[in-house]
Amino acid sequence: MKTIGVDLGGTNMKAALVDETGQVLQEISAPTNLPRPAEAVCDDIAALCLALSQDQQVAGIGVGCPGTVDGGVVRYSNNLAWHDFDMAGYLRQKLDLPVYLGNDANVAALGEALAGCAKGAESAVIITLGTGVGGGVVLDGKLLTGYTGAAAEPGHMVILGTSEAPLCTCGRRGCFESLASATALIRMTREARRTHPDSALNTLAPEENDVNGRTAFDAAAMGDTAGKAVVEQYTTYLAMGIANLINIFFPEVVGLSGGVANQGENLLQPLRAAVEPLVFGNEFAKKKTRITTCTLGYRAGVIGAAMLAQRGEA
Amino acid sequence: MKTIGVDLGGTNMKAALVDETGQVLQEISAPTNLPRPAEAVCDDIAALCLALSQDQQVAGIGVGCPGTVDGGVVRYSNNLAWHDFDMAGYLRQKLDLPVYLGNDANVAALGEALAGCAKGAESAVIITLGTGVGGGVVLDGKLLTGYTGAAAEPGHMVILGTSEAPLCTCGRRGCFESLASATALIRMTREARRTHPDSALNTLAPEENDVNGRTAFDAAAMGDTAGKAVVEQYTTYLAMGIANLINIFFPEVVGLSGGVANQGENLLQPLRAAVEPLVFGNEFAKKKTRITTCTLGYRAGVIGAAMLAQRGEA
């Protein structure tokens, strides 16, 4: 069975024809061209789907969309500036195919869970370490979306509930996102660069704006003390949030994606060591959660969206 | 369909014959009489089940057991001092009926979700505020237990990740349990009692050992400033943990049980007000998580265990 997965972003929309194993058979993309009406954006999505479905038997369309999605309706998307738009209904009418809608981060998590780093696992928590901390939870092949239609938001779990903790974009202090996103890593690196003017952080990033999510890792690899301290502090917070999620879900796999995850084993090895003692009952557990990096890259979104349509889940 | 639910505790074992709606038809109990071998304890459980099943059509037995449960096996129970004991296998042989096993806190949560405070809801997070913070998560009528066989442990989610945060029984600092259990409330009350010798806390509890989980609430009700401050601090931590769990699960219901929950609306009203602004996307949510108290009391365990057997879930 082939389905089409659509990954709608603020800049581009991507679509792919995907088989039942999660293999991408064909892909296509177009600019989102915001701002413009939701219907105009959907007309372009429909055109991409029509292009992909020519001479093909397509069973359905899945769409990953930024924002809060409830059934087939986009309740609210800050990126797209949509409110209560019946996206699935609109596309269904255009395409005469079943349409399934999900939050983009959730849908990408579904892709990783079913066809990527957690393929074959009974449960997975996927965490994206980018500008924010997003993610999704997949239990027995099914996305956890909740009653309110909001996606699982592991980034907005407070792990440092003090009045001095960094302010999160959501308005709370000490959220996992405010301590473990790439943005948080860059903030910590900048602070260390200022307070340690002789460190390699300053050689690698002569100007504050040169600091990126790799700077501290690169400095640490050179043996730089300040760089190592930043990586250690970041890893401590990341481990704290991941251990919390393990203690809540005890998933088979935790998969990390996003820029910071590109560090691979540089990140994973100390992270696993930091998480292990924080897992409740780890002394007696016969099975352990596997912590790894995601494998589908930018295609997680379209593959996950296509899988959503294959599962026939809203 | 009738099933038998067993709630095995360190002091007593309770069993009940329960119908498909969760109604208790008959109940019976006996002392657990520890320490003694697992088989001897199970022989007594079997005797209770036989007494309840006389002249009855019983479809199966469910058991809630303290500790880490994996399938039908008790991996490790600190309370019972059991290791890798095939409890379901043993009871099945004795009773010639299907036997389903679950962690006691999880099973009680299932009872509340299916027949108590969250009856009819699509999902529920049940949190017990007692000596520790236990609980369970029920999604679409099914217990979340995870890959490792460990129960969901929301109490061991760090919400105050600082080196000065209170030490938790699990060895970490700043766990939800160490800040929102009845034990934590008593600790905070004792501290306030010492630092505010003129407060009503001292009238209500002339000796430190007189402090219990009600002292601060009683003082606050009398208008006592120190008592109010304790209740406010406790409520802040409780709200922080509950908001985290809402942002992760977005459940239809959060149900609170345990001694502190007996405060009812005294606790719930300020708690709801504190949780609301911490919920991600609350400005746009059409549906809100209902925060309430549990309704089954001490029977949640046997009812949940019986429901486990009715659902035929391990």
Side-chain angles (χ1 to χ4, degrees), chain A residues 147 151 153 158-159 161 244 247 250, chain B residues 147 151 153 158 161 244 247 250:
Chain A
Y147 169 67
E153 292 288 354
V158 167
I159 62 171
N244 280 359
N247 290 349
F250 293 96
Chain B
Y147 169 67
E153 292 287 354
V158 167
N244 280 358
N247 290 349
F250 293 95

Side-chain angles (χ1 to χ4, degrees), chain A residues 129 185 213-214 217-218 231 234-235 238 242 254-273 291-295:
Chain A
L129 307 168
L185 173 60
R214 291 182 305 279
F217 281 95
D218 289 347
V231 169
Y234 175 79
T235 307
L238 183 57
I242 289 176
V254 167
L256 303 179
S257 70
V260 184
N262 290 335
Q263 292 295 332
E265 288 298 316
N266 274 345
L267 174 73
L268 290 176
Q269 284 193 13
L271 182 65
R272 291 185 191 116
I291 302 176
T292 188
T293 45
C294 289
T295 58

Side-chain angles (χ1 to χ4, degrees), chain B residues 6 8 13 31-32 34 36-50 61 63 65 72 74 80 82 85-95 99 101:
Chain B
V6 177
L8 177 58
M13 53 178 76
T32 309
L34 295 176
R36 55 177 175 150
E39 290 80 3
V41 171
C42 285
D43 290 346
D44 283 4
I45 291 175
L48 294 186
C49 292
L50 284 173
I61 314 275
V63 182
C65 178
V74 181
L80 302 169
W82 293 1
F85 174 59
D86 181 9
M87 188 179 190
Y90 188 87
L91 286 172
R92 201 175 293 127
Q93 210 170 30
K94 282 251 151 196
L95 293 164
V99 177
L101 198 57

